[in-house]
Amino acid sequence: YGGMLQKIFSACLKASTGFRFIPDHAIPHLKQLTEGLTKKDFKEGNFMKARVVECFTLQTNSKFELAVFILPKSKVIPLHDHPNMTVISKLLFGSVHVKAYDWIIRNNASQGVAQSSFSEIIDEKSPALVLRPNSHNLHTFSALEDSAFFDILTPPYSEDYGRSCTYYKISRENHKEVVLESFIPLDFECRLKPYRGPE
């Protein structure tokens, strides 16, 4: 890693030492560090023109994951959840409409009622977003222009530990409340690509 990425990685390692994942008290400091991250902290080759959503992972272990998602203009990451996870997201460039929801009633893993908790257009000057197990835990991204964002996920997704990613569609809507049903977004592709290093 270089510069700011090394600082973030080292802070994640330090914060998670002795814990199963990064504890809540460390999140504000990591958010602050992440807000200093820019596209210039990565080699330009990491952001080649893409036709589908792409993702590259900088680091992953049982406690946290550092990843970057690249969204071409007009592409959408469908509404999805982050079970018992905290995520810090910082837009590196572009412009994205972010919508987030909180569960009100969870009937089961495939259906529930949620309420809108966040809906804003963000750019690289916007503060990092923090998603918690009980706050903004479901979200969707719609790219208004070619964009990329950096994520710290703690703990990471893991099917073995009941942290699978589930996608949802809105089946009914009433003001700020929505009924969500799980589905498989067959038209959504997220292509994994190698990390080409820091600047």
Side-chain angles (χ1 to χ4, degrees), residues 126-139:
S126 301
L129 303 176
V130 179
L131 168 160
R132 301 278 195 165
N134 297 308
S135 174
H136 309 326
N137 192 264
L138 302 124
H139 66 192

Side-chain angles (χ1 to χ4, degrees), residues 46-65:
N46 286 299
F47 303 113
M48 301 297 284
K49 186 76 173 177
R51 293 184 177 180
V52 299
V53 175
E54 294 184 336
C55 171
F56 59 85
T57 300
L58 292 78
Q59 169 70 32
T60 187
N61 55 47
S62 64
K63 297 180 178 183
F64 64 87
E65 181 172 310

Side-chain angles (χ1 to χ4, degrees), residues 94-118:
S95 178
V96 174
H97 186 192
V98 182
K99 290 183 180 180
Y101 298 84
D102 296 341
W103 286 115
I104 301 174
I105 302 168
R106 190 82 183 273
N107 297 331
N108 49 53
S110 62
Q111 190 183 55
V113 179
Q115 64 180 358
S116 174
S117 59
F118 183 89

